[in-house]
Amino acid sequence: MSRQTSFYFGRFNVLAVGEDKKEVLARGLQTEDFYESRNQRWGFFSVGRQESDLGDFLVGYLAKFKTVDEAEVAQLSTHSIEVESIENRIVAKSLFCLHMTTGLIAFHPVAGFISVSTFRDVFAKLFEKGLSNFFIDAEISMIDDRVEFFKVVKSFERILTIKIKLHPSNPHSGRMWKNVDELLKAREATTYTEEMRNDKPGGSLCIAEDEDINSKFMMAHDGYGAAAVTGSVANSTRTIRTNQNPITALVRGLRPDIDTVLEHLIKTFDRVMTRINEP
């Protein structure tokens, strides 16, 4: 059986005051700047625009490399082993596809080198550094499978705390959280946070039929923030978060081809976009 690579889906949220979003994305991802962390450098490489029926994508690599590395080399003329220096050796690279209109992004982690959380953190920091703009704020929120989250929430006998963090959409609102999104935009909010708790002995927050709270959960699931619910069942406490069950897609091979990877991911992109706009 051929090996497969798992791509994770998220949303790249960018706050760019007074600038065109697509132009900002193109400039940020085609930067020649680098981000340094733990004696290694990170950069965007081979980033180019690809067209599809869903619109334009930016496709490329986030790569980790060493400016100078050493490797043992066999010298055939003397049958000896020598150590030579190698400049800018790639340690690991993660292929990504970013939809320029919605900010939806698919990327794959590299076991032992680039975790999901590392990709999200470095991608945003490198993007911000590349633009050298104080008014740029970027982060990747995961697109979550809603079913497991709501299944766990419904199983709680008591709901103890709720934490929600949201960003207004850019440019379109999902139908299931349109009212929440429009309210954030009307108030010109860039970030929204909410926290509720019930500390009474045996008490519980009542959210089962709360359309407002559930709309905010939906918005977080669709990549415009994050939400967490802590509850208890049979005296056991558990916290469920919206980023625990991200949507993924499998692509054949351990090194997906940059020129064809979008063909394998386009159906999942379409499914995510349809879900966000469903009634």
Side-chain angles (χ1 to χ4, degrees), residues 189-226:
T190 56
T191 304
Y192 171 86
T193 58
E194 180 175 351
E195 180 174 351
M196 292 190 290
R197 63 177 61 248
N198 187 322
D199 296 325
K200 295 180 180 179
S204 176
L205 294 169
C206 299
I207 64 167
E209 304 298 329
D210 193 318
E211 293 185 4
D212 178 62
I213 291 296
N214 283 290
S215 293
K216 292 171 182 175
F217 286 159
M218 290 289 191
M219 192 171 180
H221 277 295
D222 287 340
Y224 286 110

Side-chain angles (χ1 to χ4, degrees), residues 21 25 60 93 150 171-172 205 272:
K21 180 181 177 180
L25 289 175
K93 64 182 187 296
F150 285 105
H172 303 298
L205 294 169
V272 172

Side-chain angles (χ1 to χ4, degrees), residues 7-39:
F7 278 76
Y8 288 68
F9 282 73
R11 188 184 300 279
F12 188 42
N13 294 303
V14 178
L15 173 62
V17 179
E19 297 196 51
D20 178 78
K21 180 181 177 180
K22 290 185 178 181
E23 181 183 343
V24 169
L25 289 175
R27 284 194 290 114
L29 294 183
Q30 293 173 337
T31 177
E32 296 181 355
D33 211 338
F34 303 105
Y35 174 74
E36 294 192 28
S37 176
R38 298 179 180 178
N39 297 321

Side-chain angles (χ1 to χ4, degrees), residues 16 24 31 52 55 60-61 81 109 122 127 134 140 149 172 175 187 193 207 209 219 235 239 242 245 249 265 270:
V24 169
T31 177
S52 78
Y61 294 101
I81 296 176
V122 174
F127 180 85
F134 177 78
I140 294 178
F149 179 87
H172 303 298
R175 295 180 184 178
R187 293 175 174 173
T193 58
I207 64 167
E209 304 298 329
M219 192 171 180
N235 296 321
T239 298
T242 54
N245 296 284
L265 298 173
D270 188 34

Side-chain angles (χ1 to χ4, degrees), residues 126-177:
L126 177 57
F127 180 85
E128 292 176 351
K129 184 178 180 182
L131 291 172
S132 300
N133 191 328
F134 177 78
F135 297 103
I136 296 293
D137 185 28
E139 71 173 16
I140 294 178
S141 297
M142 303 307 295
I143 302 291
D144 198 62
D145 186 341
R146 301 167 176 169
V147 176
E148 181 65 19
F149 179 87
F150 285 105
K151 179 181 178 181
V152 172
V153 172
K154 288 181 180 179
S155 73
F156 288 147
E157 296 171 356
R158 298 170 54 215
I159 295 178
L160 307 176
T161 63
I162 294 173
K163 295 181 180 180
I164 300 171
K165 179 182 178 181
L166 300 174
H167 309 283
S169 72
N170 183 6
H172 303 298
S173 300
R175 295 180 184 178
M176 302 186 75
W177 38 265

Side-chain angles (χ1 to χ4, degrees), residues 29-91:
L29 294 183
Q30 293 173 337
T31 177
E32 296 181 355
D33 211 338
F34 303 105
Y35 174 74
E36 294 192 28
S37 176
R38 298 179 180 178
N39 297 321
Q40 293 183 328
R41 280 187 168 187
W42 297 77
F44 294 126
F45 297 93
S46 303
V47 177
R49 187 176 301 204
Q50 295 186 18
E51 297 179 350
S52 78
D53 292 339
L54 299 180
D56 289 351
F57 285 79
L58 289 171
V59 181
Y61 294 101
L62 173 66
K64 176 167 63 171
F65 64 98
K66 290 185 177 181
T67 53
V68 178
D69 199 7
E70 293 184 342
E72 291 184 328
V73 178
Q75 293 293 344
L76 301 184
S77 60
T78 61
H79 279 262
S80 61
I81 296 176
E82 298 181 2
V83 177
E84 292 188 359
S85 295
I86 301 176
E87 294 184 356
N88 301 323
R89 183 180 72 84
I90 298 293
V91 177

